[in-house]
Amino acid sequence: MPRQPELSDTMDVNGSSTVQAGVRDVGRLGLRMAWGLLRGRGRLDGGSVMCAWAREMMARAPEATGLRIAVPGFSIDLVGDRRRSEQILSGRPGEEYGAGRLKVQAMSFLAPNALTIADGELWRSLRPFNEQALGTGGAHPYAQVFLDGVRRSFARPVSDRDDVQSAMAGAMTSVVLGEPEDEDARQAARDVTALFGVVQNPVRRKLLGRFYRGRRTRLYALLRRRWRDANARQPTVLGMAPRDVRTKAEDSLLEQIPHWMFTFTGSGTDLLTRTLAMVTARSDVRRRVIEECAAAGPLDRAETVQRRLDFTRACVLETGRLFPPVTRTFHHPKEKVGGPEVAHYFPLLQRDDALGDTVHSFRPERWLAPELDEAARASNLFLRGPRACPGKDLILFVCTAAVARQVGELALMERASRLSRDPLPVSFPEREARFTAPEASR
């Protein structure tokens, strides 16, 4: 007898149903991962294995919009329908859905009032603050100063992700803290990277969290000093902070800053590294970026980066669609106390074959068309609606400027890469991010 699909309880108040995945199903996923690792001789496209397994599970019941993964001690609802995901993400935080409990527990170690986990009134009070400081919705008023810092940090060719992260840390101190050559600022970059390592690792957080309290105290002491010294004329994001809240709820406002900082050395580093890998792996794309940079005008002017590097920017967006640096987010339905978390796994939603024949292909030009295609519209690189990343425009500007500097001016090249061919893997092959440059650029 064929196995009948098992439908769980509804996922939420809108009646969306899920297919149940139990211990045996999860065990099969584990075996597939192990076989993929063995067959790939240590290289595993885990995202592809995960997506294929989830789609096969949900195919048991065509009407299902998700997958409930339930094993002893753990239960989670994986959203499998893009429209359902967009519906959840489009709501204001705290109305139907709040931040996931595990996400709240993790981020609270460093910043319990961070916007990324805020709900309700706290979110409504913090969102405008973040938007004004980060220049959401357009060119940042201090874009030229920030560009100068980015160009200084990326003045030499990078060779791997570590180099990119080091350069991004320098750019971050220029943008967020000012005085990039100041040792306190460099120490803050190291502290925030180490602290987010604890935030993202529950085992380390539980066993070793107390040993990081000194770093946390040191980081906030520096942020408090820079915050109080900042003024409207200082060309940093702290200098852009709204004046009317400078003395109100200072601790809550300070807790927004570590996330800004880590965007540079975390997800921003991954996005830039992967973009450089994609651009340099394809000779036609690399040539077009170089040609665009040569024709655009002075690359040390913010206006050039903002208005005349459309293809270079499209390469960043397309890389983020294919290989999002943040692959998942979690929410909790407010009406279900003690119920399972709701998880959005972006590769599952963005790499669906139903989105078109080029969904697994690197096509920057899709972002230049008068109307975005289905694959581009499915991208959750910066989320959207009320939950959209307030630093989207700023980090996109930084990454575009860095690609122009490294490829357009320093003629960065890849060493050897599997990324030159379509279709592309779902998981980014980290070993492929290796670069070189002509001797004259060194």
Side-chain angles (χ1 to χ4, degrees), residues 154-387:
F154 284 92
R156 297 180 61 82
V158 297
S159 60
D160 53 24
R161 185 190 183 280
D162 289 343
D163 277 358
V164 175
Q165 186 178 53
S166 178
M168 284 292 270
M172 179 275 293
T173 57
S174 296
V175 172
V176 180
L177 301 175
E179 302 177 30
E181 300 306 318
D182 183 87
E183 178 55 32
D184 285 343
R186 289 196 291 264
Q187 181 61 54
R190 294 191 289 268
D191 285 343
V192 79
T193 300
L195 288 166
F196 265 93
V198 180
V199 167
Q200 296 172 329
N201 188 318
V203 175
R204 188 188 302 177
R205 191 170 63 251
K206 194 161 193 174
L207 296 179
L208 303 175
R210 65 183 182 276
F211 297 111
Y212 287 82
R213 290 172 184 164
R215 280 184 179 267
R216 187 184 188 280
T217 299
R218 179 171 60 197
L219 173 65
Y220 276 108
L222 173 65
L223 296 182
R224 194 177 301 278
R225 290 198 304 271
R226 294 293 171 92
W227 167 257
R228 290 175 175 175
D229 291 343
N231 56 69
R233 294 182 299 278
Q234 185 176 3
T236 66
V237 292
L238 290 183
M240 281 291 295
R243 301 299 99 196
D244 58 342
V245 296
R246 177 50 56 87
T247 59
K248 299 176 183 177
E250 185 177 72
D251 288 345
S252 295
L253 300 179
L254 286 173
E255 289 177 14
Q256 310 312 303
I257 304 171
H259 201 274
W260 302 346
M261 298 169 68
F262 185 68
T263 295
F264 283 80
T265 58
S267 57
T269 289
D270 287 335
L271 178 59
L272 177 55
T273 303
R274 296 169 186 185
T275 301
L276 291 172
M278 288 305 309
V279 169
T280 57
R282 303 189 172 215
S283 58
D284 57 332
V285 174
R286 177 176 177 272
R287 182 173 57 253
R288 187 168 172 181
V289 167
I290 291 174
E291 290 174 351
E292 180 180 67
C293 290
L299 295 178
D300 59 354
R301 302 305 302 164
E303 182 181 9
T304 303
V305 177
Q306 292 160 351
R307 300 184 181 181
R308 299 173 189 166
L309 297 181
D310 293 342
F311 182 76
T312 305
R313 185 179 303 104
C315 289
V316 180
L317 292 169
E318 179 69 351
T319 301
R321 180 192 71 81
L322 288 161
F323 304 114
V326 177
T327 59
R328 55 198 175 272
T329 188
F330 299 89
H331 297 94
H332 187 74
K334 287 293 189 177
E335 80 285 354
K336 287 191 176 182
V337 178
E341 298 275 282
V342 175
H344 309 253
Y345 183 55
F346 296 134
L348 177 66
L349 303 169
Q350 294 176 194
R351 291 291 204 99
D352 188 346
D353 289 332
L355 294 172
D357 295 338
T358 65
V359 69
H360 304 295
S361 302
F362 185 67
R363 297 287 189 273
E365 58 271 16
R366 75 174 84 241
W367 296 93
L368 304 177
E371 183 176 346
L372 297 182
D373 65 8
E374 285 293 317
R377 286 199 295 270
S379 176
N380 269 307
L381 174 58
F382 296 109
L383 295 183
R384 62 194 74 202
R387 302 175 193 270

Side-chain angles (χ1 to χ4, degrees), residues 7 14 64 125 302 389 420 423 428:
L7 293 179
N14 295 287
S125 66
C389 172
S420 61
F428 182 76

